[in-house]
Amino acid sequence: MDKPVPQPAGLALLRLLDPDYVEGALGRQVLAQDLSVLHGRQLLALLRRLRAAQSNQQYYAGASMEQAAQLFGAAIAAVKTELATRPHIPNKQEAKALRQAAARKR
């Protein structure tokens, strides 16, 4: 019978937060997708998800910054590169300012 491998205390919490947690799976999934068919907002959501997973890897799974960057760096770079080819999506403040400017013109 194999002994369980000791794990950082936070890894149990990470498994509760994400039951499907497998180290590096999200990065591989993103790299396997055709990012050019995704909408800009989907890419932004994917980027937020990747950054959160990278942070979780550091704080809960006990990975160093270098290890987390190695796991997610390529996927984050791919999403950022694709986002750079897209037109700018205004944030809430910019959208509000554009609406107000359009209302003043009427």
Side-chain angles (χ1 to χ4, degrees):
M1 187 169 157
D2 293 329
K3 289 184 179 179
V5 177
Q7 298 175 350
L11 195 53
L13 180 58
L14 180 57
R15 290 194 188 280
L16 284 174
L17 294 172
D18 184 7
D20 298 327
Y21 169 78
V22 176
E23 186 173 302
L26 179 61
R28 287 190 300 272
Q29 176 189 358
V30 169
L31 291 173
Q33 288 185 44
D34 183 13
L35 298 176
S36 62
V37 300
L38 295 178
H39 188 274
R41 292 189 190 278
Q42 290 173 310
L43 288 170
L44 287 172
L46 194 56
L47 184 60
R48 279 192 304 274
R49 193 169 162 217
L50 281 166
R51 286 182 174 159
Q54 184 178 22
S55 177
N56 288 345
Q57 191 70 27
Q58 286 177 251
Y59 295 111
Y60 295 121
S64 68
M65 288 184 75
E66 293 79 24
Q67 291 169 327
Q70 186 179 22
L71 281 173
F72 296 101
I76 289 173
V79 172
K80 282 183 171 183
T81 302
E82 184 60 35
L83 271 171
T85 65
R86 305 295 177 89
H88 175 69
I89 298 173
N91 61 29
K92 286 183 180 182
Q93 290 177 333
E94 293 169 339
K96 182 178 178 182
L98 290 171
R99 285 193 307 274
Q100 288 174 344
R104 281 191 292 263
K105 287 182 182 178
R106 288 187 229 148

